[in-house]
Amino acid sequence: MTDQKSASTTVDGAVDSSTSSNFIRNKIADDIKQNKHGGRVHTRFPPEPNGYLHIGHAKSICLNFGVAAENSGLCNLRFDDTNPEKESQEYVDAIKDNISWLGFQWNGDVRYSSNYFEQLYAFAVQLIESGKAYVCDLSANEAREYRGSLTQPGRNSPHRDRSIEENRDLFERMRTGEFADGHCSLRAKIDMASPNINMRDPVLYRIRHIEHHQTGTQWCIYPTYDYTHCLSDAIEGITHSLCTLEFEDHRPLYDWILHTLEIASIAGASDLADTDSEYVLPEQTEFAKLKLNHTIVGKRKLKEMVETNVVTGWDDPRMPTLAGMRRRGFTAAALRNFCESVGVARSDSIVDLGMLEHAIRDDLDKNSPRAMCVLNPVTVVLTNLPDEHLQILSMANHPKVDEMGRRSVPLTKRVVIDRSDFEELPVQGFKRLIAGGEVRLRGAYVIKCIDVIKDDAGELVELHCSVDLDTLGKKPEGRKVKGVIHWVSEAKGIPLNVRLYDRLFTVENPESKDIEDIRECLNEDSLIEITSCIAEPSIMEEGASSSYQFEREGYYCLDEKESSENKLVFNRTITLRDSW
RNA sequence: UGGGGUGUCGCCAAGUGGUAAGGCACAAGGUUUUGAUCCUUGCAUGCGUUGGUUCGAAUCCAGCCACCCCAGCCA
């Protein structure tokens, strides 16, 4: 019986919530039981460096690193960099940074598929020599015609039966740069009539006279994904090659390549070559991609949003990228918990954004220090306090976690409260401040509104309230005061700007095929900046946190990119749950 | 219409022949100096559908239906 409840530990030491079984964990447990790879578990996370990582990648990262850690195994980071056209060093750097931030440490050095280009070339020669690959002069268009269709078999390329010598010569000349881009390609010789189109003599190498971010101008032929991925896995001694469902049809090709090559030569070229581990070929297993409603997770569209300035960049706090979510204030632990909570299965599914929000709130509630910040201030004059009154109140940083300590909050005669916490015509059940009514200033006294001052236009100017001096730290005598509102000293408070974020799209499925231009369903109010907020001074003290729960408002974090010495900008990470 | 997959509560998801876990959401109570948190309770006589096998089926078999993926020298 396998243990269905366990906990995984990440490099930052945080223990994530309990895990439940899934088909991959079950398979690995089985493989271990059967001693399939000598009991080894070795996974890899293989991004192509052609964009920033997003929440969907987080699922794959958590799965690959998680499953390795749970089984005392290893997980490599490998850049699948076989198509230099779309790739760049900027993406490589950002991806490494994102993975570290998420809390995972890859095994050894960062790998690149391009590290193996020479070895891959040698394997290709081996395929040619065993008559399993040939150089084909068909153009891309011609090749498409020869490939047939979903319902019709393909036809053999006229170049399919070239001699081994000719193929060897041609392939070598491909490498030396004799031919122009697209002039010819190296193809596997499998079966043009296969019902699986991936097996209809797939291209192994194409010619691209283009510089590569890792190998420079060393190569002008580049191996394709299908040819490269299985061999890179094999070279690295990967045991479980986890990928998403759309690659399911590629698995027969993955296996064909590995089984058509001499296993001894693969083993000899692998990281396991000089160890006494028995060499076993990797196996591909597919799982469903993570999709989230109200969210775009397609790299192409995310890139488009950045390039058309729909957002300010890959790290715009509204973006579902790891960089964006980090800047928004989502924590790595919350994201890990979320990925665990959605599970790993094979059915196409769309997870409700509410699940992500729950994970964020859950983590932030436990770990964020509290502070008070008034978003839309209105002045309250505490009439029975002397003008120069200055009282330092001590308040807990967290209502349940004493270890988080306490802070000092100054109370003066003039304070501000949120405009929405005062109502002249309250609806049934309103329990904040009303004319003639009482409310508690959080952590301080109960006050009573005795006067509402308005200007000639009838706009509220300020409120005059009396303080019940006998209510500090105790309930008032003989009556119940239900409401508690947050406040900040007008003179001692710190001005700041706050950015409120909402979902980027108005529709539940912005990736729907019916939507031609995503700009049609953009939420106009996805970013609202408010400028006259006032926070208690403790947030600027030496050693202060950069993220808080602003009580009764939500979780906020300092935006270091937008803040300057004379302007503080906080991002609203997420609101508090509001069941009112 | 070829091939490969998937269908369990509004959303995820466990379950592998012994009588439907869990989480989110939702609802109702309780505690509370955050309308937060926390606690308690409720929430699938039914597992796409129709048949069959069996003492017994979400689990096995057959048919049907729906949805997803594949015809890049992208990954």
Side-chain angles (χ1 to χ4, degrees):
Chain A
M1 211 46 206
T2 55
D3 185 9
Q4 298 204 338
K5 294 281 176 190
S6 61
S8 62
T9 306
T10 52
V11 291
D12 60 9
V15 176
D16 292 343
S17 57
S18 65
T19 59
S20 76
S21 76
N22 63 50
F23 78 102
I24 289 178
R25 284 194 170 115
N26 293 163
K27 176 180 167 28
I28 290 176
D30 259 20
D31 290 347
I32 291 172
K33 200 190 294 176
Q34 291 171 33
N35 207 241
K36 198 173 208 167
H37 303 268
R40 287 189 314 117
V41 173
H42 201 333
T43 57
R44 100 272 92 116
F45 174 62
E48 184 191 14
N50 66 349
Y52 277 62
L53 259 25
H54 54 66
I55 183 73
H57 294 108
K59 174 178 177 179
S60 177
I61 293 169
C62 290
L63 209 216
N64 278 294
F65 283 92
V67 107
E70 287 165 23
N71 294 289
S72 314
L74 301 169
C75 181
N76 291 1
L77 167 59
R78 178 170 78 234
F79 287 99
D80 218 339
D81 55 349
T82 57
N83 184 13
E85 219 169 343
K86 298 179 173 179
E87 303 162 4
S88 77
Q89 186 64 40
E90 177 199 352
Y91 296 132
V92 169
D93 295 338
I95 289 169
K96 287 194 284 189
D97 184 55
N98 286 165
I99 295 169
S100 299
W101 173 75
L102 237 203
F104 297 102
Q105 178 67 255
W106 51 86
N107 168 51
D109 294 335
V110 172
R111 318 298 181 100
Y112 296 85
S113 295
S114 55
N115 290 162
Y116 315 131
F117 280 174
E118 194 61 55
Q119 180 59 246
L120 260 21
Y121 181 86
F123 283 138
V125 170
Q126 187 186 316
L127 286 178
I128 289 171
E129 286 174 344
S130 59
K132 296 295 188 181
Y134 62 97
V135 173
C136 176
D137 297 349
L138 253 25
S139 70
N141 276 134
E142 291 166 332
R144 186 181 315 126
E145 283 170 35
Y146 273 82
R147 190 154 38 234
S149 72
L150 293 179
T151 50
Q152 279 171 234
R155 289 138 53 213
N156 283 171
S157 161
H159 315 292
R160 201 173 199 256
D161 295 317
R162 289 215 249 237
S163 70
I164 288 173
E165 283 63 39
E166 192 182 358
N167 281 138
R168 195 162 37 198
D169 174 59
L170 254 13
F171 187 48
E172 195 178 317
R173 287 159 61 195
M174 278 172 67
R175 176 179 184 168
T176 54
E178 195 171 313
F179 308 119
D181 287 7
H183 180 269
C184 55
S185 63
L186 183 74
R187 295 226 254 162
K189 191 186 285 186
I190 309 181
D191 177 9
M192 289 305 291
S194 172
N196 180 347
I197 292 178
N198 294 118
M199 300 299 270
R200 320 241 262 229
D201 290 11
V203 169
L204 269 22
Y205 271 89
R206 72 287 218 187
I207 301 171
R208 287 278 184 284
H209 290 270
I210 184 178
E211 196 169 326
H212 187 287
H213 52 100
Q214 302 302 317
T215 59
T217 54
Q218 203 182 330
W219 294 86
C220 66
I221 57 172
Y222 291 98
T224 55
Y225 163 85
D226 282 312
Y227 179 65
T228 308
H229 204 92
C230 53
L231 286 169
S232 301
D233 283 344
I235 287 168
E236 293 177 14
I238 300 303
T239 57
H240 301 267
S241 181
L242 311 178
C243 65
T244 46
L245 251 25
E246 70 269 27
F247 293 105
E248 199 159 14
D249 291 346
H250 296 240
R251 190 171 55 206
L253 179 52
Y254 184 104
D255 291 336
W256 183 92
I257 292 167
L258 295 183
H259 289 278
T260 301
L261 256 5
E262 283 292 327
I263 182 144
S265 67
I266 297 177
S270 80
D271 291 359
L272 266 32
D274 298 319
T275 70
D276 43 13
S277 294
E278 182 205 359
Y279 189 80
V280 181
L281 259 7
E283 265 181 42
Q284 172 178 306
T285 302
E286 312 84 13
F287 62 93
K289 261 187 173 133
L290 171 64
K291 288 187 181 170
L292 259 186
N293 61 7
H294 301 289
T295 308
I296 278 185
V297 113
K299 226 181 241 183
R300 203 185 66 79
K301 284 188 173 168
L302 290 178
K303 198 168 186 170
E304 189 183 313
M305 281 160 53
V306 171
E307 284 165 357
T308 59
N309 298 313
V310 163
V311 291
T312 58
W314 287 100
D315 67 345
D316 186 298
R318 293 166 294 182
M319 289 284 272
T321 51
L322 294 183
M325 294 190 295
R326 175 184 186 177
R327 191 168 154 205
R328 171 82 170 258
F330 290 9
T331 60
L335 257 22
R336 276 185 250 125
N337 287 161
F338 168 69
C339 289
E340 178 56 41
S341 80
V342 300
V344 180
R346 288 175 60 87
S347 60
D348 297 299
S349 55
I350 299 174
V351 174
D352 195 292
L353 236 205
M355 277 222 223
L356 208 211
E357 295 175 340
H358 169 79
I360 303 302
R361 289 194 180 101
D362 190 52
D363 181 62
L364 258 18
D365 174 62
K366 290 186 180 79
N367 301 307
S368 298
R370 311 288 129 123
M372 293 191 290
C373 176
V374 174
L375 266 30
N376 297 296
V378 56
T379 301
V380 171
V381 180
L382 302 173
T383 53
N384 56 333
L385 293 183
D387 289 352
E388 65 290 348
H389 185 83
L390 175 60
Q391 182 176 3
I392 305 301
L393 299 166
S394 170
M395 296 177 59
N397 284 330
H398 192 287
K400 293 186 176 171
V401 186
D402 291 342
E403 298 75 61
M404 288 178 75
R406 304 183 71 80
R407 67 192 195 275
S408 298
V409 181
L411 172 69
T412 51
K413 182 181 177 75
R414 295 173 66 87
V415 299
V416 290
I417 65 169
D418 197 87
R419 180 64 189 80
S420 66
D421 282 335
F422 172 75
E423 201 61 71
E424 280 193 280
L425 303 166
V427 297
Q428 187 65 240
F430 186 80
K431 46 184 227 189
R432 285 110 93 154
L433 192 61
I434 60 174
E438 285 187 302
V439 78
R440 177 179 291 278
L441 294 183
R442 164 129 255 233
Y445 301 93
V446 169
I447 61 171
K448 179 175 187 174
C449 179
I450 53 178
D451 218 348
V452 179
I453 314 297
K454 295 180 182 176
D455 62 17
D456 296 341
E459 289 298 308
L460 180 63
V461 176
E462 60 184 34
L463 299 168
H464 287 4
C465 298
S466 61
V467 179
D468 182 342
L469 274 345
D470 197 32
T471 54
L472 185 62
K474 56 177 162 174
K475 291 186 164 50
E477 304 267 328
R479 69 216 127 104
K480 271 190 180 148
V481 175
K482 267 196 172 172
V484 179
I485 62 175
H486 56 105
W487 57 277
V488 171
S489 159
E490 190 177 68
K492 300 286 183 183
I494 293 177
L496 54 86
N497 289 7
V498 145
R499 292 186 174 182
L500 308 179
Y501 300 102
D502 197 357
R503 50 188 58 153
L504 222 26
F505 304 100
T506 53
V507 296
E508 175 150 346
N509 179 11
E511 292 187 297
S512 158
K513 285 171 186 145
D514 319 327
I515 299 170
E516 285 168 27
D517 187 348
I518 48 167
R519 279 169 292 192
E520 285 168 21
C521 53
L522 279 178
N523 175 9
E524 300 279 321
D525 299 323
S526 62
L527 167 59
I528 294 174
E529 179 153 354
I530 50 179
T531 54
S532 307
C533 315
I534 305 180
E536 58 170 82
S538 70
I539 66 161
M540 284 305 285
E541 279 164 11
E542 191 69 16
S545 169
S546 62
S547 70
Y548 293 92
Q549 182 200 97
F550 286 156
E551 287 187 292
R552 300 209 313 129
E553 290 291 355
Y555 299 95
Y556 290 75
C557 69
L558 182 68
D559 190 323
E560 289 175 28
K561 204 165 168 176
E562 291 295 324
S563 296
S564 57
E565 278 204 18
N566 43 21
K567 179 185 165 199
L568 284 178
V569 177
F570 272 74
N571 292 320
R572 182 174 71 191
T573 306
I574 193 167
T575 60
L576 251 30
R577 244 178 115 235
D578 185 3
S579 57
W580 189 41

